[in-house]
């Protein structure tokens, strides 16, 4: 199957039926990469879909092969893009970039004045973020909404976040600010941030 046969669209109520599969893909992706992805319940995913805060990728026969969602924090001042996953069978087709771009579009439509952020351990996601205009930032520049950070409790690396008083973890924080033109990000910056996080894990470096 080629990329042109795959639909990447804003999710609607009819896509709630895929919530269980989405949770499975998120969990399997975390196991495969050996990195922290907070586990989500089918009910949580269904709520994102029905509230118009999700993007799905579907084949012609309606098979769910990709997903992502947004959530607002700090009374709408911040929006997080999260849960980007692609079925392993359909990787290397540029599908992650399409899903990421569609999720970014959704965030800009729903919350045009909000700062959009992402925390991730994935180098490919960091590269996609950079292409959209995000820049790496410290966690102090992200939302201070306690509910957002509570969502990290399902991540296998949550103890690292706690030990560092929420200043850093293995994830890299990235931010898009629509109110000001950010400097053009260096192409090497995502690689540097990824390497820094891996070294921190290996040598238990903390700030």
């Amino acid at each position: 199957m080629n990329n042109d046969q795959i639909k990447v669209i804003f999710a609607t109520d009819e896509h709630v039926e895929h919530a269980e599969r989405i949770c499975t893909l998120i969990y399997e992706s975390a196991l495969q990469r050996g990195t922290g992805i907070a586990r989500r319940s089918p009910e949580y995913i269904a709520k994102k879909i029905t509230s118009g805060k999700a993007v799905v990728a579907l084949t012609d026969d309606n098979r769910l092969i990709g997903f992502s969602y947004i959530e607002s924090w700090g009374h709408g001042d911040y929006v997080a893009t999260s849960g980007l996953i692609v079925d392993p069978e359909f990787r290397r087709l540029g599908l992650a970039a399409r899903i990421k771009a569609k999720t970014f579009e959704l965030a800009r439509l729903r919350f045009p004045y909000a700062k959009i952020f992402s925390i991730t351990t994935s180098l490919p996601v960091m590269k996609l973020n950079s292409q959209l205009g995000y820049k790496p930032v410290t966690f102090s520049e992200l939302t201070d909404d306690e509910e957002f950070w509570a969502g990290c409790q399902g991540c296998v690396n949550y103890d690292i976040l706690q030990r560092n008083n929420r200043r850093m973890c293995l994830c890299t924080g990235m931010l898009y600010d629509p109110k000001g033109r950010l400097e053009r990000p260096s192409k090497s910056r995502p690689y540097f941030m990824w390497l820094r996080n891996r070294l921190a894990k290996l040598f238990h470096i903390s700030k």
Side-chain angles (χ1 to χ4, degrees):
M1 178 176 293
N2 60 50
N3 216 335
D4 294 335
Q5 296 173 293
I6 299 170
K7 298 180 295 183
V8 178
I9 58 176
F10 298 148
T12 60
D13 289 5
E14 66 182 294
H15 300 121
V16 169
E17 64 178 346
H18 299 296
E20 189 75 47
R21 173 162 173 74
I22 290 166
C23 291
T24 299
L25 285 175
I26 291 174
Y27 178 64
E28 289 177 348
S29 176
L31 290 179
Q32 182 182 37
R33 291 182 5 223
T35 56
I37 298 179
R39 297 196 67 171
R40 302 302 186 196
S41 68
E43 293 76 17
Y44 182 92
I45 296 300
K47 185 177 179 180
K48 293 295 165 281
I49 292 173
T50 57
S51 61
K53 294 181 178 179
V55 168
V56 293
L58 304 164
T59 61
D60 286 342
D61 59 358
N62 204 42
R63 176 182 173 187
L64 186 289
I65 59 172
F67 177 78
S68 186
Y69 67 90
I70 65 172
E71 185 61 282
S72 61
W73 306 99
H75 306 290
D77 291 335
Y78 290 86
V79 175
T81 61
S82 303
L84 175 60
I85 45 98
V86 175
D87 187 317
E89 184 181 338
F90 293 87
R91 290 174 184 170
R92 302 186 184 279
L93 296 175
L95 187 53
R98 291 180 60 193
I99 295 172
K100 185 69 179 179
K102 197 68 174 178
T103 308
F104 183 77
E105 179 187 348
L106 179 61
R108 296 286 288 130
L109 285 171
R110 292 290 305 271
F111 303 93
Y113 304 108
K115 294 179 180 180
I116 306 172
F117 71 98
S118 171
I119 61 171
T120 182
T121 57
S122 168
L123 178 58
V125 172
M126 292 182 207
K127 292 169 65 178
L128 294 174
N129 285 342
S130 293
Q131 291 167 11
L132 290 169
Y134 290 68
K135 68 172 183 178
V137 295
T138 62
F139 282 9
S140 64
E141 295 181 63
L142 307 180
T143 180
D144 59 1
D145 194 312
E146 293 296 334
E147 188 177 354
F148 169 78
W149 295 104
C152 293
Q153 292 179 17
C155 174
V156 296
N157 297 319
Y158 184 62
D159 64 313
I160 300 174
L161 184 68
Q162 287 183 302
R163 288 202 308 270
N164 288 285
N165 297 316
R166 217 165 67 189
R167 292 193 301 268
M168 67 166 289
C169 193
L170 297 188
C171 281
T172 294
M174 302 190 75
L175 184 73
Y176 173 88
D177 187 351
K179 297 179 181 178
R181 297 186 65 86
L182 304 176
E183 67 270 15
R184 183 186 274 306
S186 166
K187 291 183 178 180
S188 62
R189 184 67 173 175
Y191 295 94
F192 170 78
M193 299 297 288
W194 177 83
L195 178 60
R196 186 205 67 179
N197 288 342
R198 303 320 295 172
L199 290 174
K201 181 178 181 180
L202 288 172
F203 298 105
H204 306 290
I205 298 171
S206 64
K207 292 183 179 179

